[in-house]
Amino acid sequence: MFDVAGVIDAVFLKPIANIYLEVLPEFVRTPIGNFLQNLEEPVNFVNNVFQLDFEQAGNTAARFGINSTVGIGGLFDPATGWGYPYKADDFGL
């Protein structure tokens, strides 16, 4: 499976990523990245709760609410500027 994943990466994913970087300017890529990061926030919230880190869970919920509304669906990240920095959490922690 590892070898298959390596082939898929080399043949399909890496060329697509290179085209994405070359074709789209940074001012277009940044909102896309912000949107995708905003989609991760509910998962981060659940992880914070499972870890009993309620302060970070509140921070994550605030980020999601702010960026989903004021940040126009997560395309922009006003929450960071307002004191709610992004912190990734996963089930591995």
Side-chain angles (χ1 to χ4, degrees), residues 1-76:
M1 279 314 284
F2 184 77
D3 291 336
V4 171
V7 170
I8 291 171
D9 181 53
V11 173
F12 296 109
L13 299 179
K14 196 167 283 192
I16 291 171
N18 288 335
I19 291 169
Y20 174 80
L21 289 173
E22 290 176 15
V23 172
L24 294 177
E26 186 173 349
F27 73 88
V28 175
R29 292 192 316 259
T30 298
I32 292 171
N34 289 340
F35 175 77
L36 294 173
Q37 187 178 65
N38 196 52
L39 290 179
E40 295 175 6
E41 294 294 12
V43 174
N44 289 338
F45 175 79
V46 171
N47 281 303
N48 294 141
V49 171
F50 284 161
Q51 295 171 36
L52 303 177
D53 188 354
F54 299 113
E55 182 178 343
Q56 186 60 40
N59 180 57
T60 301
R63 274 188 60 77
F64 183 71
I66 292 168
N67 288 343
S68 295
T69 55
V70 179
I72 309 173
L75 294 176
F76 303 99

